Amino acid sequence: MQSTGRIAAISVGVGIAVLGLKMIAWLITGSVALYSDALESIVNVAGSVAALAAIAYSARPPDANHPYGHHKAEYLSVVLEGVLIIIAALSILREAYFSFLDPRMLEAPVEGLLVNALASAINGAWCWFLITEGRKRRSPALVADGRHLFTDVVTSVGVLFGLVLAVATGIPLLDPLLAALVAVNILWSGWRLIRESLGGLMDEAVPAQMLDEIRSIISANAEGAIEAHDVRTRNAGRAMFVDFHLVVPGTMAVSESHAICDRIEKALKAEVPDAMITIHVEPEDKAKHQGVVVV
């Protein structure tokens, strides 16, 4: 958890450095498209700060008011980042509109594009690292931050290509047109982030593939039981909640059924270390014959 927080803190520093480079590129050229790219980097920094705060808060242990922990705080940071992205997109559209009314050629385009390309290269390397580490650590905030940076990289590449075309053809209207396209792309990115985070806040079940793995683990480690049914899952940040009913022979001792539960929990936690598992033990007359068959 501490290393996850360090990654989020480094992400803030990387975001500030990239923002500085993109602002320099915009000031050198006066390009509204590069302005839009720089504005998205401001959102990146704000999103990274929100992710850092959310990760720190979500690491707090359960308390009397939050007995299941604070894991969902990461989803709130993702919602905030989505809202910031939408605000940035609307601001870019405003600047693009005024640039359409008064188009002008770029100043010092080569220098500005080179600076922006350097910023994009840094962003590309860092977004790959964030997504990889975020998935490994089951951190929605890190993954969302990485995905947003990837959108920024794609946007920057498109802007660079378009501005090279604008300079080569001498058509200044390409600059605000690119800015408008960037804004639409950013709006879509913001909507996706909000939609995915709402799924977590609404206790969305784990993906079907992961559910199949969970059922297989239960089946393979429930020797002595009859079946497991009503298997339910939900994600909450890094944590995954799993609960189900385990049917055992009516004559089985409590200690034996408890040993089976311990074995299943150990196997599930080996696959998902942050899993929170609840098992309700039932006698054989409660079998539904439609759950997980014990092998």
Side-chain angles (χ1 to χ4, degrees), residues 22 44 64 97 110 179 200 246:
K22 289 189 175 183
N44 290 345
Y97 171 74
V110 175
L246 184 71

Side-chain angles (χ1 to χ4, degrees), residues 5 19 46-47 50 72 83 100 106 133 146 148 150-151 178 185 191 210-211 214-215 228 244 247 255 274 295:
L19 170 61
K72 288 190 177 181
V83 172
F100 267 119
L106 306 184
E133 288 298 312
H148 182 206
F150 179 72
T151 302
L178 281 169
N185 184 50
W191 163 242
M210 175 61 74
L211 179 58
I214 289 172
R215 294 169 70 91
F244 59 92
V247 179
S255 59
D274 292 310
V295 298

Side-chain angles (χ1 to χ4, degrees), residues 2 19 56 71 74 82-83 92 96 112 122-123 125 130 272 284:
Q2 291 179 346
L19 170 61
H71 307 95
E74 290 197 38
V83 172
I92 293 169
I122 295 172
N123 251 357
L130 280 179
V272 186
E284 56 191 302

Side-chain angles (χ1 to χ4, degrees), residues 2-294:
Q2 291 179 346
S3 59
T4 301
R6 282 196 295 271
I7 292 173
I10 294 172
S11 191
V12 175
V14 172
I16 292 173
V18 170
L19 170 61
L21 289 172
K22 289 189 175 183
M23 290 297 291
I24 291 172
W26 167 54
L27 291 173
I28 290 174
T29 62
S31 164
V32 68
L34 291 183
Y35 165 79
S36 69
D37 207 15
L39 192 61
E40 187 176 6
S41 289
I42 294 176
V43 177
N44 290 345
V45 173
S48 295
V49 171
L52 176 60
I55 289 171
Y57 188 80
S58 68
R60 292 184 177 183
D63 53 37
N65 292 326
H66 307 89
Y68 293 98
H70 303 77
H71 307 95
K72 288 190 177 181
E74 290 197 38
Y75 290 119
L76 296 177
S77 77
V78 178
V79 172
L80 174 61
E81 189 167 355
V83 172
L84 291 173
I85 288 172
I86 292 173
I87 293 173
L90 295 176
S91 177
I92 293 169
L93 285 173
R94 177 181 178 276
E95 292 299 320
Y97 171 74
F98 287 116
S99 187
F100 267 119
L101 298 180
D102 184 25
R104 54 184 177 177
M105 291 303 299
L106 306 184
E107 303 171 7
V110 175
E111 294 86 345
L113 293 179
L114 286 175
V115 172
N116 196 266
L118 173 61
S120 299
I122 295 172
N123 251 357
W126 187 247
C127 82
W128 174 84
F129 179 79
L130 280 179
I131 293 174
T132 301
E133 288 298 312
R135 287 173 176 167
K136 184 190 302 182
R137 301 165 188 272
R138 293 180 53 79
S139 172
L142 286 184
V143 172
D145 206 15
R147 285 181 177 175
H148 182 206
L149 285 183
F150 179 72
T151 302
D152 190 18
V153 172
V154 173
T155 297
S156 297
V157 171
V159 166
L160 288 170
F161 177 78
L163 289 180
V164 168
L165 187 63
V167 172
T169 60
I171 304 176
L173 278 176
L174 286 176
D175 184 30
L177 177 61
L178 281 169
L181 291 175
V182 168
V184 172
N185 184 50
I186 293 174
L187 279 173
W188 174 244
S189 173
W191 163 242
R192 284 183 59 195
L193 282 177
I194 292 174
R195 183 185 63 189
E196 291 175 8
S197 62
L198 288 178
L201 290 172
M202 293 296 292
D203 290 334
E204 193 172 64
V206 301
Q209 182 179 353
M210 175 61 74
L211 179 58
D212 288 340
E213 291 180 14
I214 289 172
R215 294 169 70 91
S216 296
I217 292 171
I218 294 171
S219 176
N221 291 275
E223 183 181 355
I226 297 172
E227 72 169 26
H229 59 245
D230 295 342
V231 180
R232 300 187 304 174
T233 63
R234 65 183 176 92
N235 279 318
R238 296 180 315 282
M240 176 193 296
F241 288 83
V242 181
D243 66 81
F244 59 92
H245 294 196
L246 184 71
V247 179
V248 300
T251 57
M252 179 176 284
V254 172
S255 59
E256 291 181 67
S257 62
H258 188 268
I260 297 173
C261 292
D262 283 347
R263 190 165 64 242
I264 295 172
E265 287 185 22
K266 183 179 180 180
L268 286 172
K269 284 183 175 292
E271 182 68 23
V272 186
D274 292 310
M276 306 288 185
I277 304 157
T278 303
I279 306 174
H280 178 70
V281 178
E282 296 180 330
E284 56 191 302
D285 63 314
K286 297 293 185 179
K288 294 186 176 181
H289 305 294
Q290 60 184 18
V292 177
V293 178
V294 176

